[in-house]
């Protein structure tokens, strides 16, 4: 925007100089002031017009954001349960609010700027926006969703309407491109191009989209398609600084490949949009990636009808525990071997709300223990925030700990504190062991309580889609259900780790997943779960 106040000041200075030069003493000189005043009036009109234009832009922002915040504050968790909404919140607060701040700063407004200064320290940064974008890509991979499903908000169980614009899709693609993730760069740049061709409004140019898309396609090894896209780019912008050189390079490379294969030519690529599945996603560090993601989608579960017939439900009184005699727990078999059980009504709604209330102020990025150094650190394969609560803090925590002890028959005196975890957009914890393996540094040596004997996992929310607890080794998928808990042993009676219990928390597709974990250790269980010489459940 032009800085009209400066022009106005300059004109006033000129007028002031003329007066000081005694122009009034000459009608001829005074006539010059008539034209100066006319220029000032015109400059003033342009300044007013610019201010009105800026005010209209600010009003437009305010109206748009008012509609957004009205919808989001009605049900914050439900709104953020949609991963697109979560991503766009990250983007708005990191990028778009800064643009609004710059707009207002052109004519400083002390109230707004001071308010922005106070709240800016809590705003997400560039890493947050990038993390949210990568989370959408993770969901896209895990649940085999094409980019259009996200762009149009077509996710299961969603009640909030959330769409990605052309510019949103472009930013997603650019995030992937900057990470050298050309597979996702192709998918999102293609979606931006598809929406452009549908004549949706956009700021980014088609040339920029084709530039990133063509090079990403080349990186995926599809030279004919890269050539076709680059030709489209040249047709739009013949003076593009890279397009001509890239086109010649791609054509020369394709010709060389054809000569090596003794082929005279190849059919040119079509202009049909690139669909999900056109290119294979590159392999990564996780060997059971495909099995894990299939289980997250509900595919490949190995619970046959015959095996299911051997699963039962029963009342569980904790071996006639006095606190469970009058109101025993409802226990259901989730899996036969290793034995995994689910307890119904393990937490009441009131207890869940109190636990969340206590945990929220302390939530911090969850960490993992480096298998080589044994040091706690953050990792991309664990995306959640967690807090630890002691029994002495509130009667509810003490009651939950006691209930776990009554149900399992194991002492919680040597257990870890109750860990509360909340998974955000695309929140997950990839396949891992809860117990410490022999090849690792002794992760629990400082605790002096031995290895993690068992896991007691409380589900504190329902999850509309995704978020299952899966066991890739034996093909189990256990779905969150608010108020229930699942329990399994990590160690055999011999003290050896049960490697079948490698498990994962699937990415949350739709919803907000809250859980609480109680890891029960070996020390103190000598007479509650006696040792055995064989590796049996």
């Amino acid at each position: 925007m032009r800085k009209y106040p400066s022009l106005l000041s300059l004109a006033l200075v000129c007028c002031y100089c003329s007066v000081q030069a005694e122009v009034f003493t000459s009608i001829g000189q005074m006539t010059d002031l008539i034209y100066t005043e006319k220029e000032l009036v015109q400059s003033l009109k342009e300044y007013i017009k610019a201010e009105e234009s800026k005010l209209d832009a600010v009003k437009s922002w305010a109206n748009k954001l008012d509609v957004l915040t009205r919808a989001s504050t009605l049900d914050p968790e439900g709104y953020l349960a949609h991963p697109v909404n979560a991503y766009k919140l990250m983007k708005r607060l990191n990028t778009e609010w800064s643009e609004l701040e710059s707009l207002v700063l052109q004519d400083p407004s002390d109230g707004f700027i001071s308010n922005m200064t106070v709240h800016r320290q809590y705003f997400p940064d560039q890493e947050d926006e990038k993390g949210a974008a990568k989370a959408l890509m993770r969901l896209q991979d895990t649940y085999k969703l094409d980019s259009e499903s996200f762009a149009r908000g077509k996710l299961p169980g969603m009640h909030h309407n959330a769409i990605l614009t052309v510019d949103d899709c472009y930013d997603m693609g650019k995030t992937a491109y900057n990470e050298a993730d050309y597979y996702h760069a192709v998918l999102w740049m293609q979606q931006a191009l598809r929406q452009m061709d549908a004549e949706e409004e956009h700021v980014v140019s088609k040339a920029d989209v084709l530039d990133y898309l063509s090079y990403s396609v080349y990186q995926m090894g599809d030279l004919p398609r890269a050539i076709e896209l680059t030709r489209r780019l040249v047709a739009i912008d013949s003076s593009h600084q890279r397009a001509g050189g890239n086109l010649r390079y791609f054509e020369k490379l394709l010709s060389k490949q054809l000569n090596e294969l003794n082929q005279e030519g190849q059919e040119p690529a079509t202009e049909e949009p690139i669909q999900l599945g056109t290119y294979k996603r590159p392999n990564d560090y996780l060997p059971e990636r495909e099995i894990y993601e299939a289980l997250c989608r509900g595919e490949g579960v190995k619970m046959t009808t015959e095996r299911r017939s051997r699963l039962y439900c029963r009342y569980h009184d904790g071996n006639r525990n006095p606190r469970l005699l009058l109101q025993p727990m409802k226990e259901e078999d989730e899996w036969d071997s290793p034995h995994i059980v689910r307890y119904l009504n393990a937490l009441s709604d009131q207890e869940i709300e109190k636990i969340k209330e206590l945990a929220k102020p302390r939530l911090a990025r969850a960490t993992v223990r480096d298998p080589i150094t044994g040091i706690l650190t953050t990792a991309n394969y664990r995306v959640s925030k967690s807090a630890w609560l002691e029994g002495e803090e509130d009667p509810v925590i003490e009651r939950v700990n006691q209930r776990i002890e009554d149900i399992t028959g194991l002492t919680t005196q040597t257990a870890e504190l109750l860990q509360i975890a909340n998974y955000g957009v695309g929140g997950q914890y990839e396949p891992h062991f809860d117990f410490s393996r022999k090849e690792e540094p002794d992760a629990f040596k400082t605790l002096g309580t031995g290895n993690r004997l068992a896991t007691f996992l409380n589900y504190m929310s329902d999850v509309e889609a995704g978020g299952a607890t899966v066991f890739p080794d034996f093909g189990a998928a256990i779905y969150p259900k608010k108020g229930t808990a699942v329990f399994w042993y990590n160690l055999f009676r011999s003290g050896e780790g049960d490697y079948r219990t490698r498990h994962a928390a699937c990415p949350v597709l739709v919803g907000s997943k809250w859980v609480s974990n109680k890891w029960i250790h070996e020390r103190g269980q000598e007479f509650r779960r006696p040792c055995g010489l064989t590796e049996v459940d």
Side-chain angles (χ1 to χ4, degrees), residues 204-231:
V204 64
S205 70
K206 182 175 280 191
D208 283 341
V209 173
L210 286 169
D211 186 21
Y212 282 106
L213 180 57
S214 59
Y215 189 77
S216 298
V217 166
Y218 157 68
Q219 288 289 343
M220 294 304 297
D222 190 348
L223 274 173
R225 176 84 70 165
I227 291 170
E228 181 271 320
L229 289 166
T230 310
R231 285 173 178 168

PDB file of all heavy atoms in Angstrom, residues 204-231:
ATOM      1  N   VAL A 204      -1.740 -17.654  -5.515  1.00  0.00           N
ATOM      2  CA  VAL A 204      -0.583 -18.263  -6.149  1.00  0.00           C
ATOM      3  C   VAL A 204      -0.815 -18.393  -7.655  1.00  0.00           C
ATOM      4  O   VAL A 204      -1.952 -18.565  -8.111  1.00  0.00           O
ATOM      5  CB  VAL A 204      -0.301 -19.655  -5.535  1.00  0.00           C
ATOM      6  CG1 VAL A 204      -1.436 -20.610  -5.789  1.00  0.00           C
ATOM      7  CG2 VAL A 204       0.997 -20.241  -6.045  1.00  0.00           C
ATOM      8  N   SER A 205       0.269 -18.288  -8.425  1.00  0.00           N
ATOM      9  CA  SER A 205       0.148 -18.390  -9.883  1.00  0.00           C
ATOM     10  C   SER A 205       0.203 -19.850 -10.331  1.00  0.00           C
ATOM     11  O   SER A 205       0.823 -20.700  -9.666  1.00  0.00           O
ATOM     12  CB  SER A 205       1.273 -17.607 -10.562  1.00  0.00           C
ATOM     13  OG  SER A 205       2.516 -18.253 -10.375  1.00  0.00           O
ATOM     14  N   LYS A 206      -0.441 -20.130 -11.456  1.00  0.00           N
ATOM     15  CA  LYS A 206      -0.409 -21.482 -12.010  1.00  0.00           C
ATOM     16  C   LYS A 206       1.020 -21.873 -12.392  1.00  0.00           C
ATOM     17  O   LYS A 206       1.400 -23.046 -12.288  1.00  0.00           O
ATOM     18  CB  LYS A 206      -1.334 -21.589 -13.223  1.00  0.00           C
ATOM     19  CG  LYS A 206      -1.384 -22.990 -13.818  1.00  0.00           C
ATOM     20  CD  LYS A 206      -2.398 -23.107 -14.952  1.00  0.00           C
ATOM     21  CE  LYS A 206      -3.790 -23.254 -14.417  1.00  0.00           C
ATOM     22  NZ  LYS A 206      -4.782 -23.624 -15.474  1.00  0.00           N
ATOM     23  N   ALA A 207       1.807 -20.881 -12.806  1.00  0.00           N
ATOM     24  CA  ALA A 207       3.194 -21.159 -13.188  1.00  0.00           C
ATOM     25  C   ALA A 207       3.980 -21.707 -11.993  1.00  0.00           C
ATOM     26  O   ALA A 207       4.763 -22.656 -12.126  1.00  0.00           O
ATOM     27  CB  ALA A 207       3.860 -19.892 -13.720  1.00  0.00           C
ATOM     28  N   ASP A 208       3.750 -21.128 -10.814  1.00  0.00           N
ATOM     29  CA  ASP A 208       4.457 -21.614  -9.620  1.00  0.00           C
ATOM     30  C   ASP A 208       4.055 -23.043  -9.290  1.00  0.00           C
ATOM     31  O   ASP A 208       4.889 -23.879  -8.935  1.00  0.00           O
ATOM     32  CB  ASP A 208       4.161 -20.705  -8.425  1.00  0.00           C
ATOM     33  CG  ASP A 208       4.947 -19.406  -8.471  1.00  0.00           C
ATOM     34  OD1 ASP A 208       5.959 -19.358  -9.190  1.00  0.00           O
ATOM     35  OD2 ASP A 208       4.548 -18.437  -7.792  1.00  0.00           O
ATOM     36  N   VAL A 209       2.761 -23.336  -9.396  1.00  0.00           N
ATOM     37  CA  VAL A 209       2.279 -24.686  -9.108  1.00  0.00           C
ATOM     38  C   VAL A 209       2.894 -25.679 -10.088  1.00  0.00           C
ATOM     39  O   VAL A 209       3.395 -26.740  -9.693  1.00  0.00           O
ATOM     40  CB  VAL A 209       0.740 -24.744  -9.174  1.00  0.00           C
ATOM     41  CG1 VAL A 209       0.251 -26.187  -9.039  1.00  0.00           C
ATOM     42  CG2 VAL A 209       0.125 -23.886  -8.089  1.00  0.00           C
ATOM     43  N   LEU A 210       2.879 -25.356 -11.379  1.00  0.00           N
ATOM     44  CA  LEU A 210       3.435 -26.258 -12.392  1.00  0.00           C
ATOM     45  C   LEU A 210       4.938 -26.431 -12.220  1.00  0.00           C
ATOM     46  O   LEU A 210       5.480 -27.519 -12.479  1.00  0.00           O
ATOM     47  CB  LEU A 210       3.127 -25.725 -13.792  1.00  0.00           C
ATOM     48  CG  LEU A 210       1.678 -25.875 -14.265  1.00  0.00           C
ATOM     49  CD1 LEU A 210       1.449 -25.069 -15.540  1.00  0.00           C
ATOM     50  CD2 LEU A 210       1.341 -27.346 -14.496  1.00  0.00           C
ATOM     51  N   ASP A 211       5.610 -25.378 -11.765  1.00  0.00           N
ATOM     52  CA  ASP A 211       7.053 -25.442 -11.542  1.00  0.00           C
ATOM     53  C   ASP A 211       7.376 -26.488 -10.481  1.00  0.00           C
ATOM     54  O   ASP A 211       8.198 -27.394 -10.699  1.00  0.00           O
ATOM     55  CB  ASP A 211       7.558 -24.059 -11.118  1.00  0.00           C
ATOM     56  CG  ASP A 211       9.076 -24.001 -11.003  1.00  0.00           C
ATOM     57  OD1 ASP A 211       9.756 -24.857 -11.603  1.00  0.00           O
ATOM     58  OD2 ASP A 211       9.582 -23.098 -10.312  1.00  0.00           O
ATOM     59  N   TYR A 212       6.719 -26.394  -9.334  1.00  0.00           N
ATOM     60  CA  TYR A 212       6.949 -27.365  -8.254  1.00  0.00           C
ATOM     61  C   TYR A 212       6.467 -28.751  -8.647  1.00  0.00           C
ATOM     62  O   TYR A 212       7.113 -29.761  -8.351  1.00  0.00           O
ATOM     63  CB  TYR A 212       6.235 -26.917  -6.979  1.00  0.00           C
ATOM     64  CG  TYR A 212       6.947 -25.822  -6.219  1.00  0.00           C
ATOM     65  CD1 TYR A 212       6.471 -24.515  -6.232  1.00  0.00           C
ATOM     66  CD2 TYR A 212       8.089 -26.108  -5.474  1.00  0.00           C
ATOM     67  CE1 TYR A 212       7.129 -23.508  -5.521  1.00  0.00           C
ATOM     68  CE2 TYR A 212       8.740 -25.106  -4.759  1.00  0.00           C
ATOM     69  CZ  TYR A 212       8.258 -23.809  -4.796  1.00  0.00           C
ATOM     70  OH  TYR A 212       8.908 -22.825  -4.102  1.00  0.00           O
ATOM     71  N   LEU A 213       5.327 -28.817  -9.295  1.00  0.00           N
ATOM     72  CA  LEU A 213       4.742 -30.106  -9.649  1.00  0.00           C
ATOM     73  C   LEU A 213       5.614 -30.858 -10.650  1.00  0.00           C
ATOM     74  O   LEU A 213       5.873 -32.056 -10.490  1.00  0.00           O
ATOM     75  CB  LEU A 213       3.332 -29.909 -10.206  1.00  0.00           C
ATOM     76  CG  LEU A 213       2.570 -31.171 -10.626  1.00  0.00           C
ATOM     77  CD1 LEU A 213       2.460 -32.152  -9.472  1.00  0.00           C
ATOM     78  CD2 LEU A 213       1.186 -30.800 -11.157  1.00  0.00           C
ATOM     79  N   SER A 214       6.063 -30.170 -11.687  1.00  0.00           N
ATOM     80  CA  SER A 214       6.855 -30.839 -12.723  1.00  0.00           C
ATOM     81  C   SER A 214       8.168 -31.384 -12.169  1.00  0.00           C
ATOM     82  O   SER A 214       8.567 -32.515 -12.472  1.00  0.00           O
ATOM     83  CB  SER A 214       7.143 -29.870 -13.878  1.00  0.00           C
ATOM     84  OG  SER A 214       7.849 -28.727 -13.416  1.00  0.00           O
ATOM     85  N   TYR A 215       8.826 -30.608 -11.307  1.00  0.00           N
ATOM     86  CA  TYR A 215      10.092 -31.076 -10.751  1.00  0.00           C
ATOM     87  C   TYR A 215       9.867 -32.229  -9.773  1.00  0.00           C
ATOM     88  O   TYR A 215      10.669 -33.172  -9.720  1.00  0.00           O
ATOM     89  CB  TYR A 215      10.838 -29.939 -10.062  1.00  0.00           C
ATOM     90  CG  TYR A 215      12.238 -30.320  -9.660  1.00  0.00           C
ATOM     91  CD1 TYR A 215      13.266 -30.384 -10.606  1.00  0.00           C
ATOM     92  CD2 TYR A 215      12.535 -30.662  -8.348  1.00  0.00           C
ATOM     93  CE1 TYR A 215      14.555 -30.763 -10.242  1.00  0.00           C
ATOM     94  CE2 TYR A 215      13.819 -31.040  -7.977  1.00  0.00           C
ATOM     95  CZ  TYR A 215      14.829 -31.090  -8.934  1.00  0.00           C
ATOM     96  OH  TYR A 215      16.105 -31.474  -8.578  1.00  0.00           O
ATOM     97  N   SER A 216       8.776 -32.177  -9.007  1.00  0.00           N
ATOM     98  CA  SER A 216       8.477 -33.262  -8.076  1.00  0.00           C
ATOM     99  C   SER A 216       8.168 -34.547  -8.829  1.00  0.00           C
ATOM    100  O   SER A 216       8.586 -35.641  -8.420  1.00  0.00           O
ATOM    101  CB  SER A 216       7.299 -32.877  -7.177  1.00  0.00           C
ATOM    102  OG  SER A 216       7.610 -31.747  -6.387  1.00  0.00           O
ATOM    103  N   VAL A 217       7.441 -34.436  -9.938  1.00  0.00           N
ATOM    104  CA  VAL A 217       7.135 -35.602 -10.766  1.00  0.00           C
ATOM    105  C   VAL A 217       8.431 -36.184 -11.343  1.00  0.00           C
ATOM    106  O   VAL A 217       8.606 -37.408 -11.398  1.00  0.00           O
ATOM    107  CB  VAL A 217       6.153 -35.213 -11.891  1.00  0.00           C
ATOM    108  CG1 VAL A 217       6.086 -36.304 -12.955  1.00  0.00           C
ATOM    109  CG2 VAL A 217       4.768 -34.962 -11.316  1.00  0.00           C
ATOM    110  N   TYR A 218       9.330 -35.311 -11.744  1.00  0.00           N
ATOM    111  CA  TYR A 218      10.638 -35.767 -12.229  1.00  0.00           C
ATOM    112  C   TYR A 218      11.371 -36.546 -11.137  1.00  0.00           C
ATOM    113  O   TYR A 218      11.955 -37.613 -11.389  1.00  0.00           O
ATOM    114  CB  TYR A 218      11.473 -34.567 -12.676  1.00  0.00           C
ATOM    115  CG  TYR A 218      12.962 -34.805 -12.677  1.00  0.00           C
ATOM    116  CD1 TYR A 218      13.551 -35.695 -13.579  1.00  0.00           C
ATOM    117  CD2 TYR A 218      13.783 -34.146 -11.754  1.00  0.00           C
ATOM    118  CE1 TYR A 218      14.925 -35.925 -13.552  1.00  0.00           C
ATOM    119  CE2 TYR A 218      15.149 -34.366 -11.731  1.00  0.00           C
ATOM    120  CZ  TYR A 218      15.713 -35.263 -12.632  1.00  0.00           C
ATOM    121  OH  TYR A 218      17.072 -35.490 -12.603  1.00  0.00           O
ATOM    122  N   GLN A 219      11.323 -36.030  -9.904  1.00  0.00           N
ATOM    123  CA  GLN A 219      11.976 -36.711  -8.792  1.00  0.00           C
ATOM    124  C   GLN A 219      11.338 -38.069  -8.510  1.00  0.00           C
ATOM    125  O   GLN A 219      11.996 -38.973  -7.978  1.00  0.00           O
ATOM    126  CB  GLN A 219      11.921 -35.844  -7.525  1.00  0.00           C
ATOM    127  CG  GLN A 219      12.830 -34.628  -7.563  1.00  0.00           C
ATOM    128  CD  GLN A 219      14.302 -35.002  -7.450  1.00  0.00           C
ATOM    129  OE1 GLN A 219      14.650 -36.110  -7.048  1.00  0.00           O
ATOM    130  NE2 GLN A 219      15.183 -34.076  -7.816  1.00  0.00           N
ATOM    131  N   MET A 220      10.074 -38.235  -8.868  1.00  0.00           N
ATOM    132  CA  MET A 220       9.399 -39.519  -8.700  1.00  0.00           C
ATOM    133  C   MET A 220       9.714 -40.474  -9.852  1.00  0.00           C
ATOM    134  O   MET A 220       9.225 -41.600  -9.881  1.00  0.00           O
ATOM    135  CB  MET A 220       7.887 -39.326  -8.580  1.00  0.00           C
ATOM    136  CG  MET A 220       7.439 -38.593  -7.323  1.00  0.00           C
ATOM    137  SD  MET A 220       7.998 -39.367  -5.784  1.00  0.00           S
ATOM    138  CE  MET A 220       7.156 -40.948  -5.858  1.00  0.00           C
ATOM    139  N   GLY A 221      10.515 -40.005 -10.836  1.00  0.00           N
ATOM    140  CA  GLY A 221      10.967 -40.865 -11.917  1.00  0.00           C
ATOM    141  C   GLY A 221      10.052 -40.929 -13.119  1.00  0.00           C
ATOM    142  O   GLY A 221      10.234 -41.788 -13.987  1.00  0.00           O
ATOM    143  N   ASP A 222       9.071 -40.032 -13.199  1.00  0.00           N
ATOM    144  CA  ASP A 222       8.116 -40.040 -14.312  1.00  0.00           C
ATOM    145  C   ASP A 222       8.487 -38.943 -15.301  1.00  0.00           C
ATOM    146  O   ASP A 222       7.915 -37.845 -15.298  1.00  0.00           O
ATOM    147  CB  ASP A 222       6.704 -39.829 -13.769  1.00  0.00           C
ATOM    148  CG  ASP A 222       5.630 -40.069 -14.833  1.00  0.00           C
ATOM    149  OD1 ASP A 222       5.984 -40.166 -16.021  1.00  0.00           O
ATOM    150  OD2 ASP A 222       4.434 -40.139 -14.458  1.00  0.00           O
ATOM    151  N   LEU A 223       9.450 -39.243 -16.181  1.00  0.00           N
ATOM    152  CA  LEU A 223       9.935 -38.233 -17.122  1.00  0.00           C
ATOM    153  C   LEU A 223       8.878 -37.777 -18.134  1.00  0.00           C
ATOM    154  O   LEU A 223       8.755 -36.576 -18.386  1.00  0.00           O
ATOM    155  CB  LEU A 223      11.175 -38.763 -17.856  1.00  0.00           C
ATOM    156  CG  LEU A 223      12.519 -38.552 -17.139  1.00  0.00           C
ATOM    157  CD1 LEU A 223      13.626 -39.272 -17.891  1.00  0.00           C
ATOM    158  CD2 LEU A 223      12.826 -37.061 -17.047  1.00  0.00           C
ATOM    159  N   PRO A 224       8.103 -38.686 -18.735  1.00  0.00           N
ATOM    160  CA  PRO A 224       7.090 -38.222 -19.703  1.00  0.00           C
ATOM    161  C   PRO A 224       6.116 -37.225 -19.073  1.00  0.00           C
ATOM    162  O   PRO A 224       5.778 -36.207 -19.687  1.00  0.00           O
ATOM    163  CB  PRO A 224       6.383 -39.514 -20.119  1.00  0.00           C
ATOM    164  CG  PRO A 224       7.407 -40.588 -19.914  1.00  0.00           C
ATOM    165  CD  PRO A 224       8.162 -40.168 -18.708  1.00  0.00           C
ATOM    166  N   ARG A 225       5.670 -37.510 -17.870  1.00  0.00           N
ATOM    167  CA  ARG A 225       4.744 -36.588 -17.214  1.00  0.00           C
ATOM    168  C   ARG A 225       5.442 -35.279 -16.847  1.00  0.00           C
ATOM    169  O   ARG A 225       4.862 -34.196 -16.973  1.00  0.00           O
ATOM    170  CB  ARG A 225       4.180 -37.242 -15.956  1.00  0.00           C
ATOM    171  CG  ARG A 225       3.270 -36.357 -15.122  1.00  0.00           C
ATOM    172  CD  ARG A 225       1.857 -36.331 -15.596  1.00  0.00           C
ATOM    173  NE  ARG A 225       1.200 -37.599 -15.361  1.00  0.00           N
ATOM    174  CZ  ARG A 225      -0.126 -37.770 -15.422  1.00  0.00           C
ATOM    175  NH1 ARG A 225      -0.913 -36.761 -15.698  1.00  0.00           N
ATOM    176  NH2 ARG A 225      -0.656 -38.966 -15.238  1.00  0.00           N
ATOM    177  N   ALA A 226       6.696 -35.354 -16.420  1.00  0.00           N
ATOM    178  CA  ALA A 226       7.447 -34.144 -16.087  1.00  0.00           C
ATOM    179  C   ALA A 226       7.596 -33.260 -17.315  1.00  0.00           C
ATOM    180  O   ALA A 226       7.483 -32.020 -17.233  1.00  0.00           O
ATOM    181  CB  ALA A 226       8.822 -34.514 -15.523  1.00  0.00           C
ATOM    182  N   ILE A 227       7.841 -33.875 -18.471  1.00  0.00           N
ATOM    183  CA  ILE A 227       7.964 -33.117 -19.720  1.00  0.00           C
ATOM    184  C   ILE A 227       6.636 -32.451 -20.076  1.00  0.00           C
ATOM    185  O   ILE A 227       6.596 -31.272 -20.441  1.00  0.00           O
ATOM    186  CB  ILE A 227       8.442 -34.050 -20.855  1.00  0.00           C
ATOM    187  CG1 ILE A 227       9.899 -34.471 -20.614  1.00  0.00           C
ATOM    188  CG2 ILE A 227       8.284 -33.376 -22.218  1.00  0.00           C
ATOM    189  CD1 ILE A 227      10.387 -35.569 -21.533  1.00  0.00           C
ATOM    190  N   GLU A 228       5.548 -33.200 -19.965  1.00  0.00           N
ATOM    191  CA  GLU A 228       4.228 -32.645 -20.297  1.00  0.00           C
ATOM    192  C   GLU A 228       3.902 -31.447 -19.408  1.00  0.00           C
ATOM    193  O   GLU A 228       3.421 -30.409 -19.877  1.00  0.00           O
ATOM    194  CB  GLU A 228       3.166 -33.740 -20.140  1.00  0.00           C
ATOM    195  CG  GLU A 228       1.745 -33.322 -20.469  1.00  0.00           C
ATOM    196  CD  GLU A 228       1.008 -32.762 -19.275  1.00  0.00           C
ATOM    197  OE1 GLU A 228       1.166 -33.296 -18.166  1.00  0.00           O
ATOM    198  OE2 GLU A 228       0.261 -31.774 -19.452  1.00  0.00           O
ATOM    199  N   LEU A 229       4.176 -31.552 -18.114  1.00  0.00           N
ATOM    200  CA  LEU A 229       3.883 -30.459 -17.172  1.00  0.00           C
ATOM    201  C   LEU A 229       4.781 -29.256 -17.438  1.00  0.00           C
ATOM    202  O   LEU A 229       4.340 -28.102 -17.356  1.00  0.00           O
ATOM    203  CB  LEU A 229       4.070 -30.949 -15.738  1.00  0.00           C
ATOM    204  CG  LEU A 229       3.019 -31.943 -15.229  1.00  0.00           C
ATOM    205  CD1 LEU A 229       3.506 -32.616 -13.938  1.00  0.00           C
ATOM    206  CD2 LEU A 229       1.684 -31.252 -14.990  1.00  0.00           C
ATOM    207  N   THR A 230       6.043 -29.521 -17.775  1.00  0.00           N
ATOM    208  CA  THR A 230       6.973 -28.422 -18.047  1.00  0.00           C
ATOM    209  C   THR A 230       6.586 -27.703 -19.338  1.00  0.00           C
ATOM    210  O   THR A 230       6.723 -26.474 -19.437  1.00  0.00           O
ATOM    211  CB  THR A 230       8.418 -28.939 -18.122  1.00  0.00           C
ATOM    212  OG1 THR A 230       8.709 -29.742 -16.978  1.00  0.00           O
ATOM    213  CG2 THR A 230       9.406 -27.789 -18.178  1.00  0.00           C
ATOM    214  N   ARG A 231       6.094 -28.446 -20.316  1.00  0.00           N
ATOM    215  CA  ARG A 231       5.613 -27.795 -21.545  1.00  0.00           C
ATOM    216  C   ARG A 231       4.427 -26.887 -21.255  1.00  0.00           C
ATOM    217  O   ARG A 231       4.311 -25.796 -21.828  1.00  0.00           O
ATOM    218  CB  ARG A 231       5.238 -28.862 -22.576  1.00  0.00           C
ATOM    219  CG  ARG A 231       6.436 -29.523 -23.243  1.00  0.00           C
ATOM    220  CD  ARG A 231       6.026 -30.686 -24.125  1.00  0.00           C
ATOM    221  NE  ARG A 231       7.182 -31.282 -24.784  1.00  0.00           N
ATOM    222  CZ  ARG A 231       7.147 -32.451 -25.426  1.00  0.00           C
ATOM    223  NH1 ARG A 231       6.019 -33.146 -25.484  1.00  0.00           N
ATOM    224  NH2 ARG A 231       8.250 -32.918 -25.997  1.00  0.00           N
TER     225      ARG A 231
END
